[in-house]
Amino acid sequence: MTRNEFKKRCESGFLILDGATGTELIKRGMPGGVCPELWVSEHPEVICDIHNSYIRSGSNIVYAPTFGGNRCKLAEFGLHSELAGIVSTLARISKKNAGSRAMVFGDIAPTGRFVEPFGDLPFEEAVAIFRETAQALADGGVDGFAIETMMDLQEARAALIGVREAAPDLPVIVTMTFDSSRRTLTGNSPQSALVALQALGADAFGCNCSTGPEEMAQIIAEMRPYARVPLVAKPNAGLPRLVDGKTVFSMDDRTFAGCAQALISAGAVLLGGCCGTTPEHIAALARQVKLCSPPAEIPICSSVISSASGIWQFGSKFTVIGERINPTGKKAFQAQLREGKLDMVMDFAIQQNSAGAQVLDVNMGLAGIDEAGMMRRAVAMLAKSSPLPLCIDSTDPEAVEAALRLYPGRALFNSISAEKNRLEKILPIAARYGAMLVALPLTDAGIPGSAAERMLVVDRIISAASDYGYTAGDICVDALIMAVASEPQAAKTALEVISACEMRGLHTVCGLSNVSFGLPDRALINRTFLGMAMGRGLTAAIANPLFPELMAMVLAGDALCERDANMSAYLAAVSVSAGAVPAAAEKISPAEALKLSVLRGETERIPERIDAVLSSGMTPQDILNELLIPAINEVGKRYEQKTFFLPQLISGAEAMSRAAACLEPLLASGNDSEQQKVKFILATVKGDIHDIGKNIVAVVLRNYGFEVIDLGKDVPPELILEAAEKHSACLIGLSALMTTTMGAMRETVELARSRGMEHLHFIVGGAVVDQQFADSIGAYYAADPMAAVNIARQFQQN
Amino acid sequence: MDYPELNVPFPGKEIFLRLGGHLTKTQVDPAAACRFQRYALEAFRLCRPRGRWQIFPVTAVTDEAIILADGSSIPGGDFSRKNRDISFLWCGAVTVGKAVTETRDSLEMVSARAVYDAVAGECADGAMDMLQALAAGELLRRNLRLDKRRFSPGYGDMPLEVQKFFFSSLQLEKLDMVLNDKFFMIPEKSVTALAGVR
């Protein structure tokens, strides 16, 4: 069966897959501990019986028993060198038995290892492992492949590439397992996996195992708006439970089949069963499917790119493609790349993500470096640590292939022009990995002058791309904005291209900063052009998201262009950033700016802010009493209200510390506050070496005016009491992380009582400590640092 | 089973919650958010989650302990009383390595240290979740079911001394882990756990 025949078969009606194989093998006598593939090859009548049962039940496709037929799994039994023989034999047995009654798909399942860039199995080695299995299956005559039970998108990609390289014309079904949080074990969402794998050439995609049919219907429904290939549902027979020491599944055949309509309405076209299902389940399912109504038609979105964990849909909002990961004009970055370092790539990614970019452009074009090698490393690093989809920006075919082959998502590729080299060499590469394309209206003769001529070039590119299966929705046209300083009509022409594309429903993008090249106040020109272009329908811009005014304009533009339902994103952003807009910050007084720095934990800005307040005439004592103490109190209040979380509390305390250190020399004379400080002994108890929580409490306490004597960790009770005596302290804070070390808290308190040290007050805290335990030993309980401060303050006041 | 590299997804939400964040109430200004995110990602890059697991046949379960086929006894009534009918004992161990905690301890800013600590802790917990899920899948294929509920030495009534069993039976030196004289694991962000197998 060819891929095209499979597609047509799916379009003509539902296909029934098989059910569980492993449990059926055990039922028929397969002992525990054996290699299932070898055992079945020695007992061919067993798999023939199972397949016959499923075919009689209505299965149109049965899976060859090759779930563990890869080099890694067979190596566990010392059989890896016999892979080709075992796997192709199993395929032949299955195919000969099924004859024309059903199709046989070769079963390909995980290696049990994690694949680069997330794991230790090199990506190309993983591809080779799956290619080897696929070749053996193809040699055995399978009709197609079922890559199943995948728990990681990158391993599924490696498998799909391996199969495609071994058998380019056979159809491939890919199914993954998603848990109750609707993520794979490695955090891939169903949509991100679908988008990446259908772009890479999966002929059908869906889920198997993990959940019962009702939950699986919800996952299928979530994928459907993005599914350009048939969706597959192979659920378990409900939830597993233990009966008489054996695992049984909750759904009988009729209950299981009763979910068929839900799966079909959600969008499933290929239906079968996984753990706990039997030929009876499949027979009931096949009967039920015939009675089901097809799902309602819905529009399918093709303009979608993805990272390993999420997707981005062009047109849903204006798309800002962060331009910073590009060495052009960045000397420090260039120097790093020449040294083979990628630290700044990570910095740029974090900054742009935080600033609101939706996609990251990655360009490693720099003379004197191995562009392909650096691109591959950059993509690997970004794939692991950034949730944003990538835009691979290169003219080097080798770099493009290195990036797209490894990238665990569907990337945007920047760009395909109508130049011969790009159409002949780079377009096939981009197509092989299913990247969405930026179409650059440029030919070997140069850039066409008019918008009409550029649109003709766009048509040529779309036509060439369509030969590889691309549709208009997979393409984003670059409006090709040039510098208005040298070409006064450049903005007008680009705007005309945007309008022409808008009328034809094509997405558009531009390299925004080009327009202002050579002009003063470039940011103003860039913003103004962006507003004009958004008004014409521009979909995306490659721009610097670190300009807040630019990002504010994008938000407002989305609100004005009906891309922001109820203007909720605009209103939320405006209300959150009201006090943080740079222009507004400049207008506030030095005193307010200092308070704001404590609230925001801007430790590094404290000295300049203190100097500014002192210059305004405020005395050091007033700065402390009227600005800093109210500010740190506000930090504590917000923490207690949960509008701040712990790092903000600590950062505020650190900023306060810096401020106090700045003021200390000025406060020294005539200030008796030092003498009034209440002493607080702090220790992690005997036997416990975890001290981060205790250290945090110390920082916060110091900023509320307590003198903290930190005894460190693993401190015996005797030492704690000696320190209390030596420093004349009456407040003692004890920290413990483990239940087994909580006993040392009790020991310390009891020792104090036995010594008659009734004036000591103990405050206990730590991950496993609770109010009940504190009560039981006669101590106060502090659930967090502010609670410790509040308890200590009561004693301070007394 | 040995997993020299566990692909733990970045546990952003868990880190936020561990640090006292509230999903709807907490507001972080953009500059601070960027700073904390940077700490978190730097810490995450230093984490090298890896782990191993094994199952051991159980011969008896008392109110106080699990008795294994080789005669070893795993004390802990909370665990044994909830696992009277198990056939095997699953033991797993993960670590995120020492680089993240070493860097944490060298940092000047306590806020950064707190974030590093939370990332390392959540990464270790995430690695154990992943190890357990991988083991569950592997055991299911052997027609065995691994309990989701797990117990660790040092929690409940299971003494820390049980760590000795983990180190000898799982050969945790292969994960570059060591046990000190107080039965604390080094690297610090390491997790050991037991669960029942039926």
Side-chain angles (χ1 to χ4, degrees):
Chain A
M1 166 171 270
T2 64
R3 295 179 67 191
N4 206 31
E5 286 165 352
F6 177 76
K7 186 180 172 198
K8 284 182 181 163
R9 179 64 189 82
C10 291
E11 285 167 355
S12 70
F14 301 110
L15 277 170
I16 303 296
L17 307 173
D18 62 10
T21 300
T23 43
E24 294 299 310
L25 290 172
I26 291 165
K27 275 186 204 169
R28 288 165 175 79
M30 185 177 79
V34 300
C35 169
E37 287 71 29
L38 182 65
W39 188 84
V40 175
S41 71
E42 290 165 349
H43 301 79
E45 70 286 358
V46 172
I47 192 63
C48 293
D49 184 39
I50 294 169
H51 279 172
N52 289 340
S53 300
Y54 280 125
I55 293 168
R56 278 195 300 273
S57 299
S59 293
N60 305 112
I61 297 174
V62 291
Y63 290 6
T66 52
F67 187 91
N70 63 64
R71 201 188 303 164
C72 297
K73 287 291 173 194
L74 290 177
E76 291 171 15
F77 301 96
L79 294 169
H80 47 294
S81 59
E82 296 172 46
L83 182 150
I86 294 172
V87 171
S88 60
T89 298
L90 292 173
R92 273 191 204 98
I93 291 167
S94 305
K95 188 70 187 126
K96 187 179 172 191
N97 175 65
S100 59
R101 295 179 299 154
M103 293 176 272
V104 174
F105 276 32
D107 193 353
I108 292 177
T111 57
R113 292 175 68 186
F114 287 115
V115 178
E116 179 196 15
F118 306 106
D120 67 322
L121 182 60
F123 186 73
E124 292 307 328
E125 197 177 322
V127 171
I129 286 169
F130 290 115
R131 188 168 51 226
E132 181 183 27
T133 298
Q135 189 60 59
L137 286 164
D139 291 346
V142 294
D143 299 294
F145 299 90
I147 297 169
E148 67 152 321
T149 324
M150 285 286 164
M151 294 182 284
D152 176 42
L153 172 58
Q154 190 67 333
E155 186 169 25
R157 287 185 74 254
L160 183 53
I161 291 172
V163 171
R164 281 273 160 269
E165 290 177 355
D169 299 327
L170 292 181
V172 187
I173 297 170
V174 185
T175 55
M176 299 185 70
T177 62
F178 300 95
D179 62 21
S180 53
S181 65
R182 297 187 196 169
R183 295 263 162 181
T184 65
L185 190 57
T186 56
N188 316 125
S189 71
Q191 295 96 328
S192 64
L194 164 74
V195 168
L197 291 165
Q198 70 182 3
L200 194 59
D203 297 287
F205 179 79
C207 337
N208 76 291
C209 208
S210 290
T211 64
E214 296 115 323
E215 295 87 349
M216 195 170 280
Q218 294 171 31
I219 297 172
I220 297 286
E222 283 179 14
M223 291 195 284
R224 193 169 173 232
Y226 310 99
R228 302 163 78 178
V229 295
L231 291 171
V232 189
K234 227 169 175 276
N236 292 341
L239 297 170
R241 57 196 163 85
L242 210 64
V243 176
D244 298 331
K246 287 187 176 174
T247 302
V248 295
F249 284 81
S250 59
M251 285 185 168
D252 61 18
D253 52 349
R254 289 181 61 189
T255 318
F256 181 76
C259 299
Q261 183 64 65
L263 289 166
I264 287 171
S265 297
V269 176
L270 294 92
L271 300 99
C274 200
C275 298
T277 58
T278 62
E280 290 73 34
H281 286 84
I282 298 303
L285 177 72
R287 283 193 300 272
Q288 190 64 35
V289 164
K290 287 177 184 161
L291 305 173
C292 291
S293 333
E297 290 287 327
I298 61 164
I300 303 297
C301 179
S302 57
S303 311
V304 185
I305 56 176
S306 65
S307 67
S309 57
I311 61 170
W312 177 255
Q313 181 181 338
F314 279 76
S316 58
K317 298 266 184 195
F318 187 81
T319 305
V320 175
I321 303 168
E323 67 177 14
R324 302 286 294 156
I325 306 175
N326 185 331
T328 307
K330 299 185 185 76
K331 286 184 180 171
F333 187 27
Q334 290 175 3
Q336 269 211 349
L337 292 181
R338 289 203 169 95
E339 287 174 30
K341 293 180 182 169
L342 288 168
D343 295 355
M344 288 179 78
V345 170
M346 200 60 226
D347 290 345
F348 289 143
I350 293 169
Q351 288 164 5
Q352 294 183 108
N353 185 6
S354 301
Q358 289 97 6
V359 181
L360 296 176
D361 189 83
V362 187
N363 183 314
M364 292 285 129
L366 178 65
I369 68 165
D370 166 19
E371 185 183 343
M374 289 303 271
M375 178 66 95
R376 193 179 191 282
R377 283 178 54 203
V379 165
M381 189 171 80
L382 291 167
K384 278 171 81 167
S385 38
S386 172
L388 301 184
L390 301 185
C391 172
I392 305 301
D393 184 356
S394 176
T395 54
D396 174 8
E398 203 185 326
V400 174
E401 173 127 31
L404 295 181
R405 189 169 173 90
L406 182 69
Y407 183 55
R410 186 194 193 199
L412 179 65
F413 171 59
N414 184 12
S415 58
I416 291 292
S417 70
E419 293 164 290
K420 190 168 182 284
N421 182 54
R422 298 238 196 147
L423 287 179
E424 289 181 359
K425 290 191 176 166
I426 299 187
L427 178 57
I429 296 170
R432 192 177 308 144
Y433 301 103
M436 189 171 165
L437 302 177
V438 172
L440 192 69
L442 172 72
T443 69
D444 289 310
I447 301 171
S450 70
E453 288 170 309
R454 289 185 191 181
M455 290 309 293
L456 288 174
V457 179
V458 167
D459 286 339
R460 275 179 58 196
I461 297 170
I462 292 175
S463 170
S466 70
D467 292 344
Y468 292 92
Y470 279 104
T471 65
D474 295 306
I475 290 166
C476 192
V477 175
D478 191 329
L480 208 50
I481 180 66
M482 310 298 287
V484 288
S486 57
E487 293 184 38
Q489 82 293 354
K492 181 171 170 285
T493 308
L495 291 172
E496 286 171 1
V497 171
I498 293 166
S499 293
C501 289
E502 159 78 359
M503 287 175 69
R504 291 173 51 180
L506 289 167
H507 293 298
T508 42
V509 63
C510 70
L512 186 63
S513 57
N514 290 350
V515 71
S516 61
F517 190 76
L519 290 175
D521 199 352
R522 294 186 63 184
L524 175 63
I525 295 285
N526 293 345
R527 284 201 307 277
T528 306
F529 179 73
L530 179 63
M532 295 165 74
M534 286 180 80
R536 298 286 191 106
L538 184 73
T539 317
I542 301 174
N544 184 352
L546 304 184
F547 290 120
E549 296 89 347
L550 183 92
M551 297 307 282
M553 169 163 259
V554 168
L555 265 178
D558 274 341
L560 293 169
C561 293
E562 293 185 281
R563 286 192 291 248
D564 183 3
N566 303 319
M567 298 202 178
S568 54
Y570 174 79
L571 293 171
V574 168
S575 62
V576 165
S577 64
V581 173
E586 283 161 17
K587 289 178 191 163
I588 64 174
S589 68
E592 286 303 312
L594 176 61
K595 282 177 74 175
L596 211 53
S597 284
V598 174
L599 278 173
R600 291 182 183 165
E602 296 170 335
T603 309
E604 68 286 356
R605 302 191 74 171
I606 291 291
E608 61 174 282
R609 293 265 154 104
I610 292 267
D611 286 346
V613 183
L614 287 169
S615 301
S616 73
M618 207 165 177
T619 68
Q621 194 65 54
D622 286 347
I623 292 173
L624 184 66
N625 294 335
E626 293 173 25
L627 301 180
L628 296 177
I629 291 175
I632 196 66
N633 284 339
E634 179 65 20
V635 170
K637 190 174 132 195
R638 291 191 190 186
Y639 176 73
E640 286 174 326
Q641 291 169 342
K642 291 194 177 292
T643 54
F644 273 15
F645 73 144
L646 188 60
Q648 288 169 291
L649 175 70
I650 305 169
S651 293
E654 286 172 332
M656 177 76 179
S657 283
R658 175 70 71 88
C662 291
L663 290 176
E664 199 173 3
L666 307 171
L667 288 167
S669 57
N671 179 16
D672 59 359
S673 63
E674 284 295 316
Q675 295 158 15
Q676 294 167 350
K677 277 188 175 176
V678 172
K679 291 176 179 171
F680 197 115
I681 303 279
L682 206 48
T684 299
V685 294
K686 185 177 74 173
D688 208 321
I689 57 166
H690 301 90
D691 64 352
I692 184 83
K694 183 259 302 169
N695 292 344
I696 291 168
V697 172
V699 170
V700 178
L701 279 169
R702 285 192 180 110
N703 281 283
Y704 280 88
F706 294 91
E707 182 182 344
V708 176
I709 297 123
D710 187 346
L711 303 180
K713 55 195 176 188
D714 190 14
V715 187
E718 297 78 10
L719 276 185
I720 294 170
L721 300 186
E722 279 171 28
E725 209 159 25
K726 179 182 167 191
H727 296 283
S728 303
C730 66
L731 292 176
I732 299 177
L734 302 177
S735 170
L737 184 77
M738 323 281 286
T739 49
T740 48
T741 55
M742 281 163 65
M745 290 178 159
R746 183 186 297 277
E747 207 181 315
T748 308
V749 174
E750 285 176 356
L751 184 66
R753 303 283 180 261
S754 71
R755 289 185 180 180
M757 300 169 82
E758 300 294 338
H759 63 288
L760 295 183
H761 301 283
F762 291 90
I763 303 170
V764 296
V768 292
V769 179
D770 58 16
Q771 184 69 56
Q772 196 182 1
F773 174 76
D775 291 345
S776 75
I777 64 170
Y780 294 90
Y781 170 58
D784 56 49
M786 278 313 294
V789 168
N790 290 334
I791 295 166
R793 275 175 156 179
Q794 291 171 22
F795 291 99
Q796 193 179 34
Q797 284 157 10
N798 295 336
Chain B
M1 291 286 283
D2 203 6
Y3 292 88
E5 197 164 345
L6 284 165
N7 171 15
V8 179
F10 180 67
K13 184 176 158 190
E14 290 79 6
I15 294 164
F16 179 69
L17 295 174
R18 188 182 185 116
L19 288 167
H22 189 282
L23 290 175
T24 55
K25 291 180 183 172
T26 303
Q27 294 174 2
V28 189
D29 69 88
C34 192
R35 192 166 68 241
F36 299 141
Q37 193 183 21
R38 176 187 295 261
Y39 295 152
L41 288 172
E42 285 168 353
F44 186 65
R45 285 166 67 193
L46 292 171
C47 292
R48 294 277 177 272
R50 51 195 190 275
R52 348 184 68 204
W53 65 265
Q54 201 172 331
I55 59 171
F56 301 92
V58 171
T59 52
V61 180
T62 71
D63 275 352
E64 287 82 33
I66 304 274
I67 314 298
L68 303 182
D70 68 355
S72 315
S73 169
I74 310 295
D78 291 346
F79 179 68
S80 65
R81 285 191 292 274
K82 289 185 175 74
N83 287 280
R84 290 186 186 282
D85 57 344
I86 60 173
S87 318
F88 295 91
L89 180 68
W90 180 85
C91 301
V94 295
T95 181
V96 296
K98 62 182 180 180
V100 63
T101 41
E102 281 180 356
T103 307
R104 176 199 66 190
D105 296 340
S106 70
L107 294 170
E108 190 188 342
M109 304 293 284
V110 178
S111 49
R113 276 192 242 164
V115 175
Y116 267 63
D117 190 78
V119 171
E122 287 303 331
C123 219
D125 287 348
M128 180 52 83
D129 289 344
M130 180 165 279
L131 188 78
Q132 202 175 357
L134 288 165
E138 198 66 37
L139 291 170
L140 198 59
R141 278 172 214 137
R142 301 183 208 170
N143 214 22
L144 295 170
R145 184 165 169 247
L146 176 63
D147 272 4
K148 286 190 174 170
R149 187 167 180 174
R150 63 181 184 240
F151 289 71
S152 289
Y155 295 90
D157 67 350
M158 188 174 286
L160 265 180
E161 285 82 345
V162 173
Q163 300 290 26
K164 278 196 296 188
F165 168 75
F166 279 94
F167 274 73
S168 60
S169 61
L170 290 180
Q171 298 174 294
L172 295 186
E173 68 280 1
K174 290 187 177 171
L175 296 180
D176 297 324
M177 291 168 66
V178 290
L179 195 63
N180 73 9
D181 57 352
K182 292 187 167 62
F183 305 112
F184 279 103
M185 291 180 286
I186 300 164
E188 176 191 329
K189 297 298 180 185
S190 303
V191 179
T192 52
L194 302 168
V197 179
R198 293 172 170 87

